[in-house]
Amino acid sequence: MAFSVPPLPYAFDALEPYIDKMTMEIHHDKHHGAYVTNLNKALESAPNLQSKSLEELLANQCAIVPDNIKTAVRNNAGGAINHDMFWKIMAPKAGGNPSGNIGQAINSTFGSFDSFKEKINAAGAGRFGSGWAWLVKKGSGIEIISTANQDSPVMDGLFPIMGVDVWEHAYYLKYQNRRPEYLAAWWNVVNWPEIEKRFNSAK
Ligand code: MN
């Protein structure tokens, strides 16, 4: 069974004015679409891997993937799993302050929600080139990291609770070179109930 792109769980223009419709169309259909197409293509030569989950393909630096397709799987399975999460942890009429277990964990780890936001924004703004800023589950705690390209925290055994895409394709049409402005706006579409679910299910 080939991998596919799940439909966006809301309309392309639902995250306006923070993320514009055209960015969402191109990002979901073309960019996420290409990761899935290229992953399926790479796995044509490894039929035994086609039934694996994205997590299984990425685990331990793609340990189960043969060398000749390792880079393609790392980039494209990473792109697929990162975007599967990204669409879900955003929603229209969202944002605000986190509550529940995730709200507590953020406050106890980072002191306050504002301080957490600052650290995520700094991780995103400071990522040179393309990549992601993440909040991950590590052991019994949580931690902010960033990764390059489409590298997933799953490759290092970390569970991504939430992450923000800082590739230019995520913001350039509306924000051009102003990545910090995109990051500031992004908090208005963060879907805390979904992030709470991910946090509670994190292994
Ligand atoms: Mn992206």
Side-chain angles (χ1 to χ4, degrees), residues 27 31-32 35 83 86-87 132 150 165 167 169-170:
H27 197 176
H31 289 278
H32 191 172
Y35 298 128
H83 289 84
F86 191 54
W87 311 130
W132 292 73
Q150 292 298 353
D165 189 343
W167 282 57
H169 69 222

Side-chain angles (χ1 to χ4, degrees), residues 98-112 142 196 199:
S99 57
N101 294 328
I102 185 65
Q104 262 176 20
I106 284 173
N107 285 334
S108 68
T109 306
F110 303 103
S112 69
I142 56 174
E196 169 78 358
F199 177 72

Side-chain angles (χ1 to χ4, degrees), residues 166-187:
V166 297
W167 282 57
E168 285 184 347
H169 69 222
Y171 63 87
Y172 209 82
L173 295 181
K174 185 174 172 76
Y175 297 97
Q176 292 85 48
N177 61 323
R178 303 185 305 278
R179 188 188 289 182
E181 208 178 299
Y182 154 70
L183 284 164
W186 182 74
W187 294 101

